[in-house]
Amino acid sequence: MWTEKQRGIRVSQEELLCKNACGYYGNPAWQGLCSKCWRERARPVESQRQDTRPRNDGTPLTFSKFEEKKNIEKGHRINTMRRLFWGSPSPPKRQESSESQTSALKAYQSLEPGDFTGFLKILRSPPSQRLQSRCTAFLNTMEAYHDLPVQKQSDLVQDFYQSFAEHFSSFTEAQATQIMEHVEKLIMTRLHKWVFCHDSCDDEQKDLALQRRIRSLNWVTPQMLSVPFPDKKTTVTSDPFLSAITAIIEMDAKRAPQDKLACVSKCSQHVFEVLSSSNSEPANADDFLSGLIYVVLKANPPRLHSNMQYVIRFGLPHSLMAGESGYYFTNLSCAVAFIEKLDGPALNLSPEEFEGYMLHQRAPSTRKKRQQIVGDTQHLLEEIKDRQEKLDQGMDALNTQLQTWVKAVHSQLDEATAQFALVQKEITAQADISQVFSSSTHEESLQGYQEDHSVLVLTDQHVNPKDSDC
């Protein structure tokens, strides 16, 4: 059994969590931090960054020399954020009535989970006009400034999420999360063409490098990764991880970060299902990560790096920091990092063997594979033979039952024919008797009529003798 072998891939729950021990899931793209800790660390560093370009006299410029410039940039940034959120350089003075806000909030609270169409209808209603205006103004501004560096655009989107969520602070966490997922889908479906695989970053080059790396590892077998496969009863020609492979490939066709995360979750759930069917015990973290690495190697998903970076930059923070989606995405990031740094010891291979495989000077042992295929084929043939025997037995039993039924039908038909002949004879006899009886009765009636007529004539002559004389 694979569980008895030494594993080259091990991961613990603690290794998946943020290095700041905040309790959320970390990510290799953020140096092991969660999105919240990463942004808190990155922003102060960016704000304290100094310009050290040399002057003409060779002395570096200090931050104090750019104080005036920084103040101007700060003013521009504040005005930009106001335009993003309010649609004008300054916040509107006219405030919405409390009744309008209350009715809008009630409409959002009554929204069914996953009803994105219903969310759009509520957003376009008059009570939600202010929220709709904010979304429209933000989208228009983002499209107008789509040449900004992608990290700047990410910060603007995350700030918009945080500001927009303040309107639903009175909601429960589940309700606010549901509303913000709809907001994310609305915003990012439209901004996808502007921010995905942006020109200001090297995502496209990293996509090509990752695809070449995965393609060069096409010789890696499930046995090398210690992936527990289902029993041999499974058809040899079908890959049990095919559904997971399909799900991870579909991620590139989605636009909203949450839809891409849904593909990752679907892929991971299929991996867990396959691993659970291969062993009576539940799949552990090592098995899951090994299976996910195998799926990524087999699928070689298009633009995998760009899709992951898109989710990291523009997805809702809670989707990556906690929950099922956060756990699955963190494991996917670990799988990609493992593939990028894959070496011989991770596969229980010596450096020489690993190098030989990479240079296509070696191939995985085909003898064991051939023996396994022969054994599986023989098992399938025996299974087909048993099924054929059962089918023949069933056909013989059915043939016997059919013959017995035909004999019974013929017997019943003969009996019914004999009974019909007897009944027909009885009917004919009764008809003859009825005909004889009716003819004799007619003759008696005619004779009686004649006798009655003769009596009447004699009686008439006796009563009127004169008439007879005349």
Side-chain angles (χ1 to χ4, degrees):
M1 295 178 60
W2 296 116
T3 54
E4 297 174 354
K5 294 186 178 182
Q6 180 182 3
R7 296 187 179 277
I9 306 172
R10 287 187 175 274
V11 63
S12 62
Q13 183 71 15
E14 290 75 15
E15 293 174 343
L16 298 178
L17 297 178
C18 177
K19 289 183 178 181
N20 279 356
C22 63
Y24 296 118
Y25 289 116
N27 195 290
W30 298 318
Q31 300 178 6
L33 301 174
C34 66
S35 62
K36 180 180 179 182
C37 296
W38 172 255
R39 293 184 187 280
E40 290 177 353
R41 174 181 292 187
R43 287 188 176 182
V45 171
E46 183 179 355
S47 62
Q48 296 174 4
R49 189 176 299 163
Q50 297 182 2
D51 189 6
T52 58
R53 289 175 296 178
R55 289 183 180 178
N56 295 332
D57 57 1
T59 59
L61 295 174
T62 61
F63 179 77
S64 59
K65 298 296 183 179
F66 292 91
E67 184 176 358
E68 183 179 357
K69 181 179 179 181
K70 291 294 182 181
N71 291 333
I72 296 174
E73 291 180 353
K74 183 178 180 181
H76 288 325
R77 186 162 57 250
I78 292 175
N79 290 332
T80 300
M81 294 303 298
R82 286 175 175 175
R83 286 196 302 271
L84 292 177
F85 296 145
W86 303 99
S88 61
S90 59
K93 298 180 180 180
R94 184 176 58 86
Q95 300 294 331
E96 294 178 313
S97 63
S98 58
E99 295 181 358
S100 177
Q101 293 179 355
T102 303
S103 62
L105 293 178
K106 287 183 179 180
Y108 285 114
Q109 285 180 331
S110 62
L111 192 64
E112 294 293 333
D115 188 6
F116 182 66
T117 304
F119 167 77
L120 294 179
K121 291 181 180 179
I122 298 175
L123 187 64
R124 293 167 183 167
S125 62
S128 299
Q129 185 176 3
R130 186 186 179 195
L131 297 179
Q132 182 186 6
S133 299
R134 291 185 60 181
C135 291
T136 303
F138 177 75
L139 289 171
N140 294 336
T141 306
M142 288 293 295
E143 291 182 0
Y145 292 95
H146 64 272
D147 291 332
L148 288 174
V150 67
Q151 190 57 45
K152 292 288 185 181
Q153 298 188 52
S154 173
D155 293 339
L156 290 175
V157 171
Q158 295 298 331
D159 290 340
F160 177 79
Y161 289 157
Q162 185 176 359
S163 174
F164 201 91
E166 293 176 357
H167 286 275
F168 309 100
S169 57
S170 61
F171 285 20
T172 63
E173 184 178 356
Q175 291 175 336
T177 299
Q178 174 187 334
I179 297 299
M180 292 309 301
E181 287 178 352
H182 292 319
V183 173
E184 179 212 83
K185 189 170 186 177
L186 171 65
I187 297 298
M188 297 315 303
T189 299
R190 182 167 167 180
L191 295 181
H192 177 271
K193 63 180 180 179
W194 300 111
V195 300
F196 183 81
C197 199
H198 198 266
D199 295 337
S200 63
C201 58
D202 57 351
D203 289 347
E204 186 175 357
Q205 289 76 13
K206 290 184 177 180
D207 283 331
L208 296 175
L210 182 58
Q211 282 190 336
R212 286 193 296 266
R213 175 66 174 174
I214 294 176
R215 196 178 301 115
S216 67
L217 295 171
N218 59 356
W219 49 268
V220 177
T221 63
Q223 292 78 14
M224 293 179 180
L225 295 170
S226 301
V227 179
F229 256 60
D231 298 335
K232 294 182 179 180
K233 295 180 181 180
T234 306
T235 306
V236 185
T237 56
S238 64
D239 192 330
F241 291 97
L242 182 59
S243 299
I245 293 172
T246 304
I248 196 67
I249 291 176
E250 289 177 351
M251 180 173 61
D252 187 57
K254 307 299 181 181
R255 292 190 175 185
Q258 61 179 284
D259 293 337
K260 294 181 182 292
L261 276 177
C263 293
V264 176
S265 299
K266 184 179 178 182
C267 168
S268 302
Q269 290 168 1
H270 284 308
V271 172
F272 268 116
E273 290 175 2
V274 174
L275 296 178
S276 300
S277 64
S278 65
N279 197 351
S280 58
E281 300 178 357
N284 53 40
D286 294 337
D287 292 337
F288 170 64
L289 184 57
S290 300
L292 190 59
I293 292 171
Y294 172 75
V295 168
V296 173
L297 290 175
K298 289 286 289 183
N300 197 359
R303 301 191 293 184
L304 179 59
H305 175 80
S306 293
N307 281 291
M308 294 177 62
Q309 290 298 315
Y310 177 75
V311 173
I312 290 172
R313 293 165 181 156
F314 302 102
L316 292 172
H318 72 84
S319 300
L320 303 178
M321 294 165 57
E324 248 188 14
S325 60
Y327 176 77
Y328 292 147
F329 188 80
T330 301
N331 275 273
L332 178 61
S333 302
C334 293
V336 173
F338 177 86
I339 291 173
E340 291 175 342
K341 300 178 181 179
L342 184 62
D343 55 5
L347 300 176
N348 296 324
L349 298 175
S350 64
E352 293 77 13
E353 290 175 332
F354 182 81
E355 189 68 21
Y357 285 126
M358 293 297 293
L359 297 176
H360 301 288
Q361 296 174 356
R362 297 173 60 96
S365 179
T366 57
R367 183 177 180 181
K368 293 183 179 180
K369 187 175 181 180
R370 190 180 299 110
Q371 290 176 353
Q372 181 181 359
I373 294 176
V374 170
D376 293 341
T377 305
Q378 186 176 1
H379 176 78
L380 286 176
L381 290 175
E382 292 176 356
E383 184 179 349
I384 293 174
K385 183 179 179 180
D386 294 339
R387 292 171 60 184
Q388 185 65 36
E389 290 178 356
K390 292 181 181 179
L391 182 61
D392 293 339
Q393 293 175 0
M395 291 179 63
D396 294 339
L398 182 61
N399 191 19
T400 302
Q401 293 177 1
L402 183 61
Q403 291 179 358
T404 303
W405 179 78
V406 170
K407 291 180 180 179
V409 170
H410 282 303
S411 176
Q412 294 177 1
L413 184 60
D414 294 340
E415 183 178 355
T417 303
Q419 291 180 358
F420 178 75
L422 292 176
V423 171
Q424 190 174 14
K425 288 181 180 180
E426 291 179 1
I427 293 175
T428 304
Q430 290 180 0
D432 294 341
I433 292 173
S434 299
Q435 186 176 3
V436 171
F437 178 76
S438 60
S439 60
S440 60
T441 303
H442 178 70
E443 291 177 355
E444 290 177 357
S445 299
L446 182 60
Q447 184 178 0
Y449 173 77
Q450 291 176 352
E451 290 177 355
D452 292 340
H453 182 70
S454 301
V455 171
L456 290 173
V457 171
L458 291 175
T459 304
D460 184 57
Q461 291 178 358
H462 180 70
V463 173
N464 300 305
K466 295 180 178 180
D467 294 336
S468 60
D469 295 336
C470 294

